[in-house]
Amino acid sequence: MECTDRQPYDIIRDILTVIEELNTLKDVDAILDRVLGEARGMTNADAGSIFLVEGENLRFSYVHNDTLFRGADASKHLYTNFAVPINEKSIVGYAAMTGESLVIDDAYALTGAEPYTFNKKFDEDTGYRTHSMLTIPLKTFQDKIVGVMQLINARDCNNVYRPFNKDDIQYAPLFANSASVTIERGIMTREIMLRMMKMAEMRDPKETGPHVQRVGAYSAEIYQRWAKKKGLPEDVIRRNKDVLRLAAMLHDVGKVGISDTILKKPGRFEPHEAAIMKWHAVYGAALFANTTSELDKVCSAIALGHHERWDGKGYPGRLPANLGEARELCLESISGEDIPIEARITALADVYDALISTRVYKDAWPEEQVVEEIMNGRGTQFDPDVVDVFAEIQDVLRAIRAKFQG
């Protein structure tokens, strides 16, 4: 704020504009990314993180750090998995407990008289130096706390670290409280998706919550790297990644239309059973047919196409425009770039997770064997460009597996 002479009216107008734009986002991770980015921009903060309330704890949920994490290297840090109790011992816990913002000019200059302490472990592990901190409880208009945002190391116009100033302290919490409603909506959207998959899990024990969260996260991160390599604009990447993560989680939702005698069969399918099982792709697509929502369109494309193959030997093939009229599969093969990119990415993510995870009918494959299998499918089962991106982000995929275990 010190770098430009902005009037309160302009600041409030900008906050309202961002809040309106936030309402177009659906997935909670996309919302957290935008909220944290805007708050850091308002205060010119070098870093920041967001914790979300989970029972009696705060779950680490998002992070930015311009000094340590840049570009694609930041992705694996988004899946760091830890929580802190909501109590007075930690800075974020104290802010959540009291509902009050905390302003600290220098984290290393705390006197020890404070009820909370600064945890130096992150700085010690990374070599980072935390100076100023602005810790803000994320409160809805009903005073419900959904999380805590922590902004770190405000900078002046010359990028020299400084304490957070009076404008930061006044306007960042105003923005955070306004954004909290959108964050709460994003959390509810994610929970609705997981409940939908819980219904599928009741039918098919293989479709667990951790599995669909992993497939959604794998797909989102593969897409982001793929899109950057293709030179897509950042706003397009953010928007598409937002939708893709949610849609990929619902890739197998069509299994609700398959008989229990097939879904719950412990051994291999007979040919006629396998043929029936393939219809889950059509049933899933039909759930989202005849809509104008971008999310529904992508859900339909992924549900229908996540078992297609780059070489055209997948299923269900090209079907009538009216899915209700489909009577048989593979009416006309579909291959290559005719398969929507969202489905091509989810296809790889789904196979990867199936191979590297323990299932009731198989043990988990070693990581090296799984990667080799995926690489062997380059240009036949999978899009070559998607496979290349997959190979580049193994550290990110490992972080996702570690976060969404089960």
Side-chain angles (χ1 to χ4, degrees):
M1 294 246 186
E2 292 178 348
C3 298
T4 56
D5 183 19
R6 301 175 67 218
Q7 298 300 312
Y9 172 82
D10 298 320
I11 299 171
I12 299 297
R13 181 197 59 202
D14 290 347
I15 288 174
L16 294 175
T17 299
V18 173
I19 293 299
E20 184 176 355
E21 293 172 358
L22 281 173
N23 287 327
T24 66
L25 300 176
K26 298 174 178 61
D27 184 60
V28 64
D29 283 347
I31 294 169
L32 296 181
D33 182 41
R34 184 66 187 278
V35 168
L36 189 54
E38 292 295 336
R40 289 178 52 237
M42 290 175 61
T43 58
N44 200 26
D46 179 60
S49 56
I50 294 180
F51 294 74
L52 295 180
V53 171
E54 186 180 271
E56 300 300 317
N57 297 310
L58 290 169
R59 174 69 59 182
F60 175 82
S61 299
Y62 222 84
V63 63
H64 288 172
N65 191 306
D66 285 351
T67 296
L68 295 179
F69 315 143
R70 291 190 178 275
D73 294 336
S75 293
K76 67 179 179 181
H77 300 283
L78 300 178
Y79 298 99
T80 302
N81 188 25
F82 72 93
V84 296
I86 298 176
N87 59 34
E88 65 179 11
K89 294 183 179 180
S90 68
I91 294 171
V92 292
Y94 185 88
M97 184 183 73
T98 63
E100 300 295 331
S101 295
L102 283 175
V103 184
I104 298 172
D105 289 347
D106 186 347
Y108 285 78
L110 293 175
T111 66
E114 302 86 0
Y116 47 82
T117 59
F118 169 62
N119 187 342
K120 301 178 182 178
K121 186 176 187 307
F122 178 81
D123 284 11
E124 292 169 349
D125 289 346
T126 63
Y128 192 70
R129 171 59 162 89
T130 300
H131 296 272
S132 56
M133 305 174 75
L134 175 57
T135 306
I136 307 167
L138 298 169
K139 293 189 289 188
T140 67
F141 296 123
Q142 291 78 32
D143 273 345
K144 176 184 176 181
I145 296 179
V146 298
V148 173
M149 178 166 62
Q150 191 165 63
L151 303 176
I152 298 170
N153 288 354
R155 299 169 293 190
D156 63 19
C157 298
N158 298 313
N159 280 332
V160 175
Y161 293 143
R162 61 166 175 81
F164 287 89
N165 62 35
K166 60 181 181 61
D167 282 346
D168 300 333
I169 296 166
Q170 178 178 0
Y171 294 112
L174 176 63
F175 167 67
N177 288 339
S178 299
S180 296
V181 177
T182 309
I183 293 172
E184 185 177 41
R185 176 179 56 77
I187 294 170
M188 292 174 61
T189 299
R190 177 75 66 86
E191 289 176 347
I192 289 170
M193 293 292 183
L194 291 174
R195 287 192 185 106
M196 290 179 68
M197 291 317 303
K198 189 68 176 177
M199 290 190 296
E201 183 181 344
M202 291 175 182
R203 303 288 316 287
D204 182 0
K206 297 185 293 295
E207 295 305 308
T208 64
H211 165 67
V212 299
Q213 294 214 69
R214 289 193 300 266
V215 171
Y218 297 150
S219 299
E221 297 302 333
I222 291 171
Y223 168 78
Q224 178 171 277
R225 178 66 70 93
W226 174 90
K228 285 181 179 292
K229 293 183 74 171
K230 296 293 183 182
L232 272 62
E234 284 296 328
D235 60 330
V236 172
I237 294 174
R238 285 195 299 269
R239 184 172 65 249
N240 292 344
K241 182 181 178 183
D242 171 41
V243 173
L244 175 57
R245 183 190 298 269
L246 291 175
M249 290 172 64
L250 297 176
H251 63 282
D252 271 340
V253 70
K255 287 183 177 179
V256 297
I258 304 297
S259 166
D260 281 353
T261 58
I262 294 176
L263 277 181
K264 296 182 178 179
K265 182 176 179 178
R268 289 186 173 275
F269 293 139
E270 297 296 329
H272 73 280
E273 294 170 330
I276 293 172
M277 188 65 175
K278 290 179 178 179
W279 278 88
H280 80 275
V282 179
Y283 297 151
L287 286 174
F288 302 101
N290 303 318
T291 66
T292 57
S293 160
E294 183 63 23
L295 176 60
D296 283 352
K297 289 178 182 177
V298 177
C299 284
S300 181
I302 288 176
L304 188 63
H306 74 282
H307 285 292
E308 298 290 0
R309 290 174 52 110
W310 183 257
D311 60 11
K313 296 180 180 179
Y315 67 86
R318 206 179 300 275
L319 296 168
N322 183 353
L323 290 174
E325 296 177 359
R327 293 294 179 268
E328 57 183 280
L329 301 182
C330 297
L331 301 182
E332 180 183 347
S333 64
I334 181 171
S335 63
E337 294 187 357
D338 286 342
I339 306 167
I341 183 58
E342 298 89 351
R344 282 180 263 156
I345 289 172
T346 306
L348 187 151
D350 189 30
V351 170
Y352 171 74
D353 194 65
L355 294 178
I356 209 163
S357 303
T358 300
R359 294 289 180 88
V360 292
Y361 55 88
K362 61 171 275 296
D363 292 330
W365 287 21
E367 182 181 58
E368 299 79 8
Q369 185 180 354
V370 175
V371 173
E372 181 181 3
E373 182 74 10
I374 298 293
M375 298 304 292
N376 288 340
R378 185 183 186 277
T380 53
Q381 185 171 0
F382 305 116
D383 178 342
D385 289 345
V386 173
V387 172
D388 292 346
V389 166
F390 161 83
E392 294 172 5
I393 63 167
Q394 288 299 301
D395 57 341
V396 179
L397 304 184
R398 291 187 199 102
I400 292 170
R401 292 205 313 272
K403 181 168 184 175
F404 300 116
Q405 299 181 35

